[in-house]
Amino acid sequence: MKAKAPVSSPPRKHRLSREERQALELLASDPQGATDELLVLVHGFDSNMIADLVESGLAMARLENMKFGSRAIEVVRIRITGAGRDALAAED
């Protein structure tokens, strides 16, 4: 007789920290999202926390070219995903 594999419980939903919630709310408020520099330097969010939101699928990062004066620069734009909006709604 074969031994049954233990039944694992489904993964627990990740509860958003205050900082994660604030970052997602900020991203949700603007359809264009925000650059990573804006989130870190202006709003004071931790860059590792932003990376965790992207890795977990709650936000997405996209490299974009922007014009600054006469020169083009590359920036990383962060936008909220549907999963991020769902996570915010689940905590309301």
Side-chain angles (χ1 to χ4, degrees):
M1 173 174 2
K2 285 186 173 181
K4 288 185 179 180
V7 177
S8 61
S9 59
R12 295 174 68 188
K13 286 189 177 181
H14 173 74
R15 181 133 179 107
L16 297 174
S17 71
R18 189 179 111 262
E19 185 181 34
E20 289 170 328
R21 182 171 187 74
Q22 288 173 337
L24 288 174
E25 287 173 344
L26 179 75
L27 294 171
S29 72
D30 188 342
Q32 299 299 314
T35 64
D36 59 344
E37 288 94 2
L38 180 74
L39 293 171
V40 173
L41 298 175
V42 175
H43 293 285
F45 293 116
D46 180 72
S47 60
N48 290 327
M49 184 272 302
I50 300 296
D52 289 344
L53 290 175
V54 172
E55 288 177 16
S56 66
L58 300 176
M60 62 178 276
R62 181 176 173 181
L63 189 62
E64 294 183 359
N65 291 314
M66 294 183 76
K67 195 130 179 153
F68 185 73
S70 62
R71 60 183 204 155
I73 59 171
E74 288 186 335
V75 297
V76 176
R77 183 163 304 275
I78 310 294
R79 290 187 176 94
I80 191 168
T81 62
R85 290 183 192 281
D86 291 346
L88 285 176
E91 293 197 357
D92 284 339

Coordinates of all heavy atoms in Angstrom, one line a residue:
M1 N 0.8 -1.2 0.0 CA 0.0 0.0 0.0 C 0.9 1.2 0.0 O 1.8 1.3 0.8 CB -0.9 0.0 1.2 CG -1.6 1.3 1.3 SD -2.9 1.7 2.4 CE -3.3 0.6 3.6
K2 N 0.6 2.2 -0.9 CA 1.4 3.4 -1.0 C 1.0 4.4 0.2 O -0.2 4.5 0.5 CB 1.1 4.1 -2.3 CG 1.8 3.5 -3.5 CD 1.6 4.4 -4.7 CE 2.4 3.9 -5.8 NZ 2.2 4.7 -7.0
A3 N 2.0 5.1 0.7 CA 1.7 6.1 1.7 C 1.1 7.3 1.0 O 1.5 7.7 -0.1 CB 3.0 6.5 2.4
K4 N 0.1 7.9 1.6 CA -0.5 9.1 1.0 C 0.4 10.3 1.3 O 1.0 10.4 2.4 CB -1.9 9.3 1.6 CG -2.9 8.4 1.2 CD -4.2 8.8 1.7 CE -5.3 7.8 1.3 NZ -6.6 8.1 1.8
A5 N 0.5 11.1 0.3 CA 1.3 12.4 0.5 C 0.5 13.3 1.4 O -0.8 13.3 1.4 CB 1.5 13.1 -0.8
P6 N 1.2 14.0 2.3 CA 0.4 14.9 3.2 C -0.3 16.0 2.4 O 0.2 16.4 1.4 CB 1.5 15.5 4.1 CG 2.8 15.2 3.4 CD 2.6 14.1 2.5
V7 N -1.5 16.3 2.8 CA -2.2 17.3 2.2 C -1.8 18.7 2.7 O -1.8 18.9 3.9 CB -3.8 17.1 2.4 CG1 -4.6 18.3 1.8 CG2 -4.2 15.8 1.9
S8 N -1.3 19.5 1.8 CA -0.9 20.8 2.3 C -2.0 21.8 2.2 O -2.8 21.7 1.3 CB 0.4 21.3 1.5 OG 0.0 21.4 0.1
S9 N -2.0 22.7 3.1 CA -3.0 23.8 3.0 C -2.6 24.8 1.9 O -1.5 24.9 1.6 CB -3.2 24.4 4.4 OG -2.0 25.0 4.7
P10 N -3.6 25.5 1.4 CA -3.3 26.5 0.3 C -2.5 27.6 1.0 O -2.5 27.8 2.2 CB -4.7 27.0 -0.1 CG -5.6 26.6 0.9 CD -5.0 25.4 1.6
P11 N -1.7 28.2 0.1 CA -0.8 29.3 0.7 C -1.7 30.4 1.3 O -2.7 30.7 0.7 CB 0.0 29.8 -0.5 CG -0.7 29.3 -1.7 CD -1.5 28.1 -1.3
R12 N -1.3 31.0 2.4 CA -2.0 32.0 3.0 C -1.9 33.3 2.2 O -0.8 33.5 1.6 CB -1.5 32.3 4.4 CG -1.7 31.1 5.3 CD -1.0 31.3 6.7 NE -1.7 32.4 7.4 CZ -1.3 32.8 8.5 NH1 -0.2 32.4 9.1 NH2 -1.9 33.8 9.2
K13 N -2.9 34.1 2.1 CA -2.8 35.3 1.4 C -1.9 36.2 2.1 O -1.9 36.3 3.3 CB -4.2 36.0 1.3 CG -5.1 35.3 0.3 CD -6.4 36.1 0.1 CE -7.2 35.4 -0.9 NZ -8.4 36.1 -1.2
H14 N -1.1 36.9 1.3 CA -0.1 37.9 1.9 C -0.9 39.1 2.4 O -1.6 39.7 1.6 CB 0.9 38.2 0.8 CG 1.8 39.3 1.2 ND1 2.8 39.1 2.1 CD2 1.9 40.6 0.8 CE1 3.5 40.2 2.2 NE2 3.0 41.1 1.5
R15 N -0.7 39.4 3.6 CA -1.3 40.7 4.1 C -0.4 41.8 3.8 O 0.8 41.7 4.1 CB -1.5 40.5 5.6 CG -2.2 41.7 6.2 CD -3.3 41.3 7.1 NE -3.9 42.5 7.7 CZ -5.1 42.9 7.4 NH1 -5.8 42.3 6.5 NH2 -5.6 44.0 7.9
L16 N -0.9 42.9 3.2 CA 0.0 44.0 2.9 C 0.4 44.8 4.1 O -0.4 45.0 5.0 CB -0.8 45.0 1.9 CG -1.3 44.4 0.6 CD1 -2.2 45.5 -0.1 CD2 -0.1 44.1 -0.3
S17 N 1.7 45.2 4.1 CA 2.2 46.1 5.1 C 1.6 47.5 4.9 O 1.1 47.8 3.8 CB 3.7 46.1 5.1 OG 4.2 46.8 4.0
R18 N 1.7 48.3 5.8 CA 1.3 49.7 5.6 C 2.0 50.4 4.5 O 1.4 51.0 3.6 CB 1.5 50.5 6.9 CG 0.9 51.9 6.9 CD 1.1 52.6 8.2 NE 2.0 53.7 7.9 CZ 3.3 53.8 8.1 NH1 3.9 52.7 8.7 NH2 4.1 54.8 7.8
E19 N 3.3 50.2 4.4 CA 4.1 50.8 3.3 C 3.7 50.2 1.9 O 3.5 50.9 0.9 CB 5.6 50.5 3.5 CG 6.5 51.2 2.5 CD 7.9 51.0 2.8 OE1 8.3 49.9 3.2 OE2 8.7 51.9 2.5
E20 N 3.5 48.9 1.8 CA 3.0 48.2 0.6 C 1.7 48.8 0.1 O 1.5 49.1 -1.0 CB 2.9 46.7 0.7 CG 4.3 46.0 0.9 CD 4.1 44.6 1.3 OE1 3.2 44.2 2.0 OE2 5.0 43.8 0.8
R21 N 0.8 48.9 1.1 CA -0.6 49.4 0.8 C -0.5 50.9 0.3 O -1.1 51.2 -0.7 CB -1.5 49.3 2.0 CG -2.9 49.8 1.8 CD -3.8 49.5 3.0 NE -5.1 49.8 2.6 CZ -5.9 49.1 1.8 NH1 -5.5 48.1 1.3 NH2 -7.2 49.5 1.6
Q22 N 0.3 51.7 1.0 CA 0.5 53.1 0.5 C 1.1 53.2 -0.9 O 0.6 54.0 -1.7 CB 1.4 53.9 1.5 CG 0.7 54.1 2.8 CD 1.7 54.7 3.8 OE1 2.9 54.6 3.7 NE2 1.1 55.4 4.8
A23 N 2.0 52.3 -1.2 CA 2.7 52.3 -2.5 C 1.6 51.9 -3.6 O 1.5 52.5 -4.6 CB 3.9 51.4 -2.5
L24 N 0.9 50.9 -3.3 CA -0.1 50.4 -4.3 C -1.2 51.4 -4.4 O -1.7 51.6 -5.6 CB -0.7 49.0 -3.8 CG 0.2 47.8 -3.9 CD1 -0.4 46.6 -3.3 CD2 0.6 47.6 -5.4
E25 N -1.6 52.1 -3.4 CA -2.7 53.1 -3.5 C -2.1 54.3 -4.3 O -2.9 54.8 -5.2 CB -3.1 53.6 -2.1 CG -3.9 52.6 -1.4 CD -4.2 53.0 0.1 OE1 -3.5 53.9 0.6 OE2 -5.2 52.4 0.7
L26 N -0.9 54.6 -4.2 CA -0.3 55.7 -5.0 C -0.3 55.3 -6.5 O -0.7 56.1 -7.3 CB 1.1 56.0 -4.5 CG 1.8 57.1 -5.3 CD1 1.3 58.5 -4.9 CD2 3.3 57.1 -5.0
L27 N 0.2 54.0 -6.7 CA 0.2 53.6 -8.1 C -1.2 53.5 -8.7 O -1.4 53.8 -9.9 CB 0.9 52.2 -8.1 CG 2.4 52.2 -7.8 CD1 2.9 50.8 -7.7 CD2 3.2 53.0 -8.8
A28 N -2.2 53.1 -7.9 CA -3.6 53.0 -8.4 C -4.2 54.3 -8.7 O -5.1 54.4 -9.5 CB -4.4 52.2 -7.3
S29 N -3.7 55.4 -8.1 CA -4.2 56.7 -8.3 C -3.8 57.3 -9.6 O -4.4 58.4 -10.0 CB -3.8 57.6 -7.1 OG -2.5 58.0 -7.2
D30 N -2.8 56.8 -10.3 CA -2.4 57.4 -11.5 C -2.2 56.3 -12.6 O -1.4 55.4 -12.4 CB -1.0 58.0 -11.3 CG -0.5 58.8 -12.5 OD1 -1.0 58.6 -13.7 OD2 0.4 59.7 -12.3
P31 N -3.0 56.4 -13.7 CA -2.9 55.3 -14.7 C -1.5 55.2 -15.3 O -1.2 54.2 -15.9 CB -3.9 55.7 -15.7 CG -4.5 57.0 -15.3 CD -4.0 57.4 -14.0
Q32 N -0.7 56.3 -15.2 CA 0.6 56.2 -15.8 C 1.6 55.5 -14.8 O 2.8 55.2 -15.2 CB 1.2 57.6 -16.1 CG 0.3 58.4 -17.1 CD 0.3 57.7 -18.4 OE1 1.3 57.2 -18.9 NE2 -0.8 57.5 -19.0
G33 N 1.2 55.3 -13.6 CA 2.1 54.7 -12.6 C 3.1 55.8 -12.1 O 2.8 57.0 -12.1
A34 N 4.3 55.3 -11.7 CA 5.3 56.3 -11.2 C 6.7 55.6 -11.5 O 6.8 54.4 -11.6 CB 5.1 56.5 -9.7
T35 N 7.6 56.5 -11.6 CA 9.0 56.0 -11.8 C 9.5 55.4 -10.5 O 9.1 55.9 -9.4 CB 10.0 57.1 -12.4 OG1 10.1 58.1 -11.4 CG2 9.5 57.6 -13.7
D36 N 10.5 54.5 -10.6 CA 11.0 54.0 -9.3 C 11.7 55.1 -8.5 O 11.7 55.1 -7.3 CB 11.9 52.8 -9.6 CG 13.1 53.1 -10.5 OD1 13.1 54.1 -11.2 OD2 14.0 52.3 -10.6
E37 N 12.4 56.0 -9.2 CA 13.0 57.1 -8.5 C 12.0 58.0 -7.8 O 12.3 58.4 -6.6 CB 13.8 58.0 -9.5 CG 15.1 57.4 -10.1 CD 14.8 56.7 -11.4 OE1 13.7 56.8 -11.9 OE2 15.8 56.2 -11.9
L38 N 10.9 58.3 -8.4 CA 9.9 59.0 -7.7 C 9.4 58.3 -6.4 O 9.3 58.9 -5.4 CB 8.7 59.3 -8.6 CG 7.5 60.1 -8.0 CD1 7.9 61.5 -7.9 CD2 6.3 59.9 -8.9
L39 N 9.1 57.0 -6.5 CA 8.7 56.2 -5.4 C 9.7 56.2 -4.3 O 9.3 56.3 -3.1 CB 8.3 54.8 -5.8 CG 7.2 54.7 -6.8 CD1 7.1 53.3 -7.3 CD2 5.9 55.1 -6.1
V40 N 11.0 56.1 -4.6 CA 12.0 56.0 -3.6 C 12.4 57.3 -3.1 O 12.4 57.6 -1.9 CB 13.2 55.2 -4.1 CG1 14.4 55.2 -3.2 CG2 12.8 53.7 -4.5
L41 N 12.8 58.2 -4.0 CA 13.4 59.5 -3.5 C 12.4 60.5 -3.0 O 12.6 61.2 -2.0 CB 14.2 60.1 -4.7 CG 15.4 59.3 -5.2 CD1 16.0 60.0 -6.4 CD2 16.4 59.1 -4.1
V42 N 11.2 60.6 -3.7 CA 10.2 61.6 -3.3 C 9.3 61.1 -2.2 O 9.0 61.7 -1.2 CB 9.4 62.1 -4.5 CG1 8.3 63.0 -4.1 CG2 10.4 62.7 -5.5
H43 N 8.8 59.9 -2.4 CA 7.8 59.3 -1.4 C 8.5 58.5 -0.3 O 7.8 58.1 0.6 CB 6.8 58.5 -2.2 CG 5.9 59.3 -3.1 ND1 4.9 60.1 -2.6 CD2 5.9 59.5 -4.4 CE1 4.3 60.7 -3.6 NE2 4.9 60.4 -4.7
G44 N 9.7 58.2 -0.4 CA 10.5 57.5 0.6 C 10.2 56.0 0.8 O 10.5 55.4 1.8
F45 N 9.7 55.4 -0.3 CA 9.5 53.9 -0.2 C 10.8 53.2 -0.3 O 11.7 53.6 -1.0 CB 8.5 53.5 -1.3 CG 7.1 54.0 -1.1 CD1 6.5 54.8 -2.0 CD2 6.3 53.6 0.0 CE1 5.2 55.3 -1.9 CE2 5.0 54.1 0.2 CZ 4.5 55.0 -0.8
D46 N 10.9 52.0 0.3 CA 12.1 51.2 0.2 C 12.1 50.5 -1.2 O 11.1 49.9 -1.6 CB 12.0 50.2 1.3 CG 13.2 49.3 1.3 OD1 14.3 49.7 1.7 OD2 13.1 48.1 0.9
S47 N 13.3 50.6 -1.8 CA 13.4 50.0 -3.2 C 13.2 48.5 -3.1 O 12.7 47.9 -4.1 CB 14.8 50.4 -3.8 OG 15.8 49.9 -3.0
N48 N 13.6 47.8 -2.1 CA 13.4 46.4 -2.0 C 12.0 46.0 -1.9 O 11.5 45.0 -2.4 CB 14.2 45.8 -0.8 CG 15.7 45.8 -1.0 OD1 16.2 45.7 -2.1 ND2 16.4 46.1 0.1
M49 N 11.2 46.9 -1.2 CA 9.8 46.7 -1.1 C 9.1 46.8 -2.4 O 8.2 46.0 -2.8 CB 9.2 47.6 -0.1 CG 7.7 47.4 0.2 SD 6.5 48.3 -0.9 CE 7.0 50.0 -0.7
I50 N 9.5 47.8 -3.2 CA 9.0 48.0 -4.6 C 9.3 46.8 -5.4 O 8.5 46.2 -6.1 CB 9.6 49.3 -5.2 CG1 9.2 50.5 -4.4 CG2 9.1 49.4 -6.7 CD1 7.8 50.8 -4.3
A51 N 10.6 46.3 -5.3 CA 11.0 45.1 -6.1 C 10.1 43.9 -5.6 O 9.7 43.1 -6.5 CB 12.4 44.8 -5.9
D52 N 9.8 43.8 -4.3 CA 9.0 42.7 -3.9 C 7.6 42.7 -4.4 O 7.0 41.7 -4.8 CB 8.9 42.6 -2.3 CG 10.2 42.2 -1.7 OD1 11.1 41.6 -2.4 OD2 10.4 42.5 -0.5
L53 N 7.0 44.0 -4.6 CA 5.7 44.1 -5.2 C 5.7 43.6 -6.6 O 4.7 43.0 -7.1 CB 5.2 45.6 -5.1 CG 4.9 46.1 -3.7 CD1 4.6 47.6 -3.8 CD2 3.7 45.4 -3.1
V54 N 6.8 43.9 -7.3 CA 6.9 43.5 -8.7 C 7.1 42.0 -8.8 O 6.4 41.3 -9.5 CB 8.1 44.2 -9.4 CG1 8.3 43.6 -10.8 CG2 7.8 45.7 -9.5
E55 N 7.9 41.4 -7.9 CA 8.2 40.0 -8.0 C 6.9 39.2 -7.6 O 6.7 38.1 -8.1 CB 9.3 39.6 -7.0 CG 10.7 40.0 -7.5 CD 11.8 39.7 -6.6 OE1 11.6 39.0 -5.6 OE2 12.9 40.3 -6.8
S56 N 6.1 39.8 -6.7 CA 4.9 39.1 -6.3 C 3.7 39.2 -7.2 O 2.6 38.7 -7.0 CB 4.5 39.5 -4.9 OG 4.1 40.9 -4.9
G57 N 3.9 40.1 -8.3 CA 2.9 40.3 -9.3 C 1.9 41.4 -8.9 O 0.9 41.5 -9.6
L58 N 2.1 42.1 -7.8 CA 1.1 43.2 -7.5 C 1.4 44.4 -8.2 O 0.6 45.3 -8.3 CB 1.2 43.4 -5.9 CG 0.9 42.2 -5.1 CD1 1.1 42.5 -3.6 CD2 -0.5 41.7 -5.3
A59 N 2.6 44.6 -8.8 CA 3.0 45.7 -9.6 C 3.8 45.2 -10.7 O 4.3 44.0 -10.7 CB 3.8 46.7 -8.8
M60 N 4.0 46.0 -11.8 CA 4.8 45.6 -12.9 C 5.8 46.8 -13.2 O 5.5 47.9 -12.9 CB 4.0 45.3 -14.1 CG 3.2 46.5 -14.7 SD 2.3 46.1 -16.2 CE 3.6 46.4 -17.4
A61 N 7.0 46.4 -13.6 CA 8.0 47.4 -14.0 C 8.3 47.3 -15.5 O 8.3 46.2 -16.1 CB 9.3 47.0 -13.2
R62 N 8.5 48.5 -16.0 CA 8.7 48.6 -17.5 C 9.8 49.7 -17.7 O 9.7 50.8 -17.2 CB 7.5 48.9 -18.2 CG 7.6 49.0 -19.7 CD 6.3 49.2 -20.3 NE 6.4 49.4 -21.7 CZ 5.5 49.7 -22.6 NH1 4.2 49.7 -22.1 NH2 5.7 49.9 -23.8
L63 N 10.8 49.3 -18.5 CA 11.8 50.3 -18.9 C 11.3 51.2 -20.0 O 10.8 50.7 -21.0 CB 13.1 49.5 -19.4 CG 14.3 50.3 -19.6 CD1 14.8 51.0 -18.3 CD2 15.4 49.4 -20.1
E64 N 11.4 52.5 -19.8 CA 10.9 53.4 -20.8 C 11.9 54.5 -21.0 O 12.8 54.8 -20.2 CB 9.6 54.1 -20.2 CG 8.5 53.2 -20.1 CD 7.2 54.0 -19.6 OE1 7.3 55.2 -19.4 OE2 6.2 53.3 -19.5
N65 N 11.9 55.1 -22.2 CA 12.8 56.2 -22.6 C 12.0 57.5 -22.4 O 10.8 57.6 -22.8 CB 13.2 56.1 -24.0 CG 14.2 54.9 -24.2 OD1 15.1 54.7 -23.5 ND2 14.0 54.1 -25.3
M66 N 12.6 58.4 -21.8 CA 12.0 59.7 -21.6 C 12.9 60.8 -22.1 O 14.1 60.6 -22.0 CB 11.7 60.0 -20.1 CG 10.6 59.1 -19.5 SD 10.2 59.5 -17.8 CE 9.3 60.9 -18.0
K67 N 12.4 61.9 -22.5 CA 13.2 63.0 -22.9 C 13.4 64.0 -21.8 O 12.4 64.4 -21.1 CB 12.5 63.7 -24.1 CG 13.4 64.6 -24.9 CD 13.3 64.3 -26.3 CE 14.2 65.3 -27.0 NZ 14.8 64.9 -28.2
F68 N 14.6 64.3 -21.5 CA 14.9 65.3 -20.4 C 15.7 66.4 -21.0 O 16.9 66.2 -21.3 CB 15.6 64.6 -19.3 CG 15.9 65.5 -18.1 CD1 14.8 65.9 -17.3 CD2 17.1 66.0 -17.8 CE1 15.1 66.7 -16.2 CE2 17.4 66.8 -16.7 CZ 16.3 67.2 -15.9
G69 N 15.1 67.5 -21.4 CA 15.8 68.5 -22.1 C 16.0 68.0 -23.5 O 15.2 67.6 -24.2
S70 N 17.3 68.1 -23.9 CA 17.7 67.6 -25.2 C 18.2 66.2 -25.2 O 18.6 65.6 -26.3 CB 18.8 68.5 -25.8 OG 19.9 68.5 -25.0
R71 N 18.2 65.5 -24.1 CA 18.7 64.2 -24.0 C 17.7 63.2 -23.6 O 16.7 63.5 -22.9 CB 20.0 64.1 -23.2 CG 19.7 64.4 -21.8 CD 21.0 64.4 -20.9 NE 20.5 64.2 -19.6 CZ 21.2 63.7 -18.6 NH1 22.5 63.3 -18.9 NH2 20.8 63.6 -17.4
A72 N 17.8 61.9 -24.1 CA 16.9 60.9 -23.7 C 17.5 60.1 -22.5 O 18.7 59.9 -22.5 CB 16.7 59.9 -24.9
I73 N 16.7 59.7 -21.6 CA 17.1 58.9 -20.4 C 16.2 57.7 -20.3 O 15.0 57.8 -20.7 CB 17.1 59.7 -19.1 CG1 15.7 60.3 -18.8 CG2 18.1 60.9 -19.2 CD1 15.6 60.9 -17.4
E74 N 16.7 56.7 -19.7 CA 15.9 55.5 -19.4 C 15.4 55.5 -18.0 O 16.2 55.8 -17.1 CB 16.7 54.2 -19.7 CG 16.9 53.9 -21.1 CD 17.6 52.6 -21.3 OE1 18.3 52.1 -20.4 OE2 17.4 52.0 -22.4
V75 N 14.1 55.3 -17.8 CA 13.6 55.2 -16.4 C 12.8 53.9 -16.3 O 12.4 53.3 -17.3 CB 12.6 56.4 -16.1 CG1 13.4 57.7 -16.1 CG2 11.4 56.4 -17.1
V76 N 12.6 53.4 -15.1 CA 11.8 52.3 -14.8 C 10.4 52.8 -14.3 O 10.4 53.5 -13.3 CB 12.4 51.3 -13.8 CG1 11.5 50.2 -13.5 CG2 13.8 50.8 -14.4
R77 N 9.4 52.5 -15.0 CA 8.0 52.9 -14.6 C 7.3 51.8 -13.9 O 7.3 50.6 -14.4 CB 7.2 53.4 -15.8 CG 5.8 53.9 -15.4 CD 5.2 54.8 -16.4 NE 5.9 55.9 -16.9 CZ 6.0 57.1 -16.2 NH1 5.3 57.3 -15.1 NH2 6.7 58.1 -16.8
I78 N 6.8 52.0 -12.8 CA 6.1 51.0 -12.0 C 4.6 51.3 -12.1 O 4.1 52.4 -11.9 CB 6.5 51.1 -10.5 CG1 8.0 51.0 -10.4 CG2 5.9 49.9 -9.7 CD1 8.7 49.8 -10.8
R79 N 3.8 50.2 -12.4 CA 2.4 50.3 -12.5 C 1.7 49.2 -11.6 O 2.3 48.1 -11.5 CB 1.9 50.2 -13.9 CG 2.2 51.4 -14.8 CD 1.6 51.3 -16.1 NE 1.8 52.5 -16.9 CZ 2.8 52.6 -17.8 NH1 3.6 51.6 -18.0 NH2 2.9 53.7 -18.5
I80 N 0.6 49.5 -11.1 CA -0.2 48.5 -10.3 C -0.8 47.5 -11.3 O -1.1 47.8 -12.5 CB -1.2 49.1 -9.4 CG1 -1.8 48.1 -8.5 CG2 -2.3 49.8 -10.3 CD1 -2.7 48.7 -7.4
T81 N -0.9 46.2 -10.9 CA -1.5 45.2 -11.8 C -2.9 44.9 -11.2 O -3.3 45.4 -10.2 CB -0.7 43.9 -11.7 OG1 -0.7 43.4 -10.3 CG2 0.7 44.1 -12.2
G82 N -3.6 44.1 -12.0 CA -5.0 43.7 -11.5 C -4.9 43.0 -10.2 O -5.7 43.2 -9.3
A83 N -3.8 42.2 -10.0 CA -3.7 41.5 -8.7 C -3.4 42.5 -7.6 O -3.9 42.3 -6.5 CB -2.5 40.5 -8.8
G84 N -2.7 43.5 -7.9 CA -2.5 44.6 -6.9 C -3.7 45.3 -6.5 O -4.0 45.5 -5.3
R85 N -4.6 45.6 -7.5 CA -5.9 46.2 -7.2 C -6.8 45.2 -6.4 O -7.5 45.7 -5.5 CB -6.6 46.6 -8.5 CG -5.9 47.7 -9.2 CD -6.7 48.1 -10.5 NE -5.9 49.0 -11.3 CZ -5.8 50.3 -11.1 NH1 -6.3 50.8 -10.0 NH2 -5.0 51.1 -11.9
D86 N -6.7 43.9 -6.7 CA -7.5 42.9 -6.0 C -7.0 42.9 -4.5 O -7.8 42.8 -3.6 CB -7.3 41.5 -6.6 CG -8.0 41.5 -7.9 OD1 -8.9 42.3 -8.3 OD2 -7.7 40.5 -8.7
A87 N -5.7 43.0 -4.3 CA -5.1 42.9 -3.0 C -5.6 44.1 -2.1 O -5.9 44.0 -1.0 CB -3.6 42.9 -3.0
L88 N -5.6 45.3 -2.8 CA -6.1 46.5 -2.1 C -7.6 46.3 -1.7 O -8.0 46.6 -0.6 CB -6.0 47.7 -3.0 CG -4.6 48.3 -3.1 CD1 -4.6 49.5 -4.1 CD2 -4.0 48.7 -1.7
A89 N -8.4 45.8 -2.7 CA -9.8 45.6 -2.4 C -10.1 44.6 -1.4 O -11.0 44.7 -0.6 CB -10.5 45.2 -3.7
A90 N -9.3 43.6 -1.3 CA -9.5 42.5 -0.3 C -9.3 43.0 1.1 O -9.8 42.4 2.1 CB -8.5 41.3 -0.6
E91 N -8.5 44.1 1.3 CA -8.2 44.6 2.6 C -9.2 45.7 3.0 O -9.0 46.2 4.1 CB -6.8 45.0 2.7 CG -5.8 43.9 2.6 CD -4.4 44.2 3.0 OE1 -4.1 45.3 3.4 OE2 -3.6 43.2 3.0
D92 N -10.1 46.1 2.2 CA -11.0 47.2 2.5 C -12.1 46.6 3.4 O -12.4 45.5 3.5 CB -11.7 47.8 1.3 CG -10.7 48.7 0.6 OD1 -9.8 49.2 1.2 OD2 -10.9 48.9 -0.6

